[in-house]
Amino acid sequence: MPFILEGIVTTRNSDGSVNIAPMGPVVKREQDGTIRRFLFRPFQGSQTYQNLSATRQGVFHISDDVLLFARAVTKNLIAEQLPLSPAKKIDGVVISNTSQWYEFQIISSDTSSARAEFEAEILHTGGAGNFLGFNRAKHAVIETAILATRLHLLEKDFVIKELKRFEVIIEKTAGSQERDAFELLHTFMTTHQGQAS
């Protein structure tokens, strides 16, 4: 059964610099439990869409560092601030302190709708193996990050209601990383409400 896996994608911009963006590809495990392909669905016009169209490759990262997600969503992240290393099978970069990463190449694409579909084949995997896991606060931050990328699609009242709901979870269960991440997202969303992120 396919599912969506939230993570971070690195791709190359046209000038060779690194674009870092949150992304939730559709994933299907094989019978042996492995993952061989991703289905990325970026919005047309996004930098990730432009880069995947041009280079047809990237690296997908899994991490329980929710501050990384928040900083990527709010564009409060500079690639040089991260521990980056060259990918092994593609012309890309790996965020080397993430739990697991997948180097991929695009094997097919459909750009006929607002959300394009890029089917990607995994060429190489690696990881730091430091995945601690998620508590309720980390889940709340991930959900808030997803909301922040959908401000142009959602009603203001719905966003406010969801923010209040997640804020309760943060207050009850968050550590400092989750609090910092939520505050960053909350400030971004209240400043940019109604605008595309």
Side-chain angles (χ1 to χ4, degrees), residues 69 153 166 183 189-190:
F69 282 85
L153 301 173
F166 295 141
E183 182 59 34
M189 292 170 74
T190 54

Side-chain angles (χ1 to χ4, degrees), residues 82-93:
L82 296 173
L84 301 178
S85 58
K88 295 191 182 300
K89 300 288 185 179
I90 65 163
D91 178 22
V93 296

Side-chain angles (χ1 to χ4, degrees), residues 43-60:
F43 287 101
Q44 291 201 32
S46 70
Q47 191 63 51
T48 300
Y49 167 81
Q50 293 173 25
N51 293 352
L52 289 179
S53 296
T55 68
R56 303 190 69 76
Q57 58 187 1
V59 183
F60 179 71

Side-chain angles (χ1 to χ4, degrees), residues 123-142:
L123 301 179
H124 180 73
T125 62
N130 57 358
F131 191 84
L132 179 62
F134 289 102
N135 63 10
R136 290 181 67 208
K138 287 185 185 287
H139 282 289
V141 171
I142 294 296

Side-chain angles (χ1 to χ4, degrees), residues 54-67:
T55 68
R56 303 190 69 76
Q57 58 187 1
V59 183
F60 179 71
H61 304 79
I62 296 173
S63 176
D64 60 2
D65 179 354
V66 293
L67 190 53

Side-chain angles (χ1 to χ4, degrees), residues 18 75 99 111 117 140 155 165 179-180:
V18 180
K75 313 296 187 218
S99 305
T111 59
E117 293 191 348
E155 295 291 330
R165 184 169 69 92
R179 289 180 191 281
D180 290 348

Side-chain angles (χ1 to χ4, degrees), residues 17-128:
S17 62
V18 180
N19 183 63
I20 302 168
M23 183 72 56
V26 177
V27 177
K28 182 179 179 183
R29 288 189 184 275
E30 302 295 329
Q31 286 187 343
D32 64 1
T34 60
I35 298 171
R36 295 194 176 95
R37 293 189 176 174
F38 294 119
L39 180 64
F40 294 100
R41 300 176 305 151
F43 287 101
Q44 291 201 32
S46 70
Q47 191 63 51
T48 300
Y49 167 81
Q50 293 173 25
N51 293 352
L52 289 179
S53 296
T55 68
R56 303 190 69 76
Q57 58 187 1
V59 183
F60 179 71
H61 304 79
I62 296 173
S63 176
D64 60 2
D65 179 354
V66 293
L67 190 53
L68 176 63
F69 282 85
R71 291 171 65 202
V73 167
T74 61
K75 313 296 187 218
N76 190 350
L77 185 61
I78 300 169
E80 289 74 23
Q81 296 172 336
L82 296 173
L84 301 178
S85 58
K88 295 191 182 300
K89 300 288 185 179
I90 65 163
D91 178 22
V93 296
V94 167
I95 304 171
S96 52
N97 66 347
T98 52
S99 305
Q100 192 161 7
W101 57 81
Y102 301 86
E103 298 176 25
F104 64 84
Q105 70 177 4
I106 303 301
I107 56 174
S108 68
S109 59
D110 179 355
T111 59
S112 61
S113 61
R115 285 190 80 168
E117 293 191 348
F118 292 95
E119 187 175 8
E121 178 180 41
I122 296 168
L123 301 179
H124 180 73
T125 62

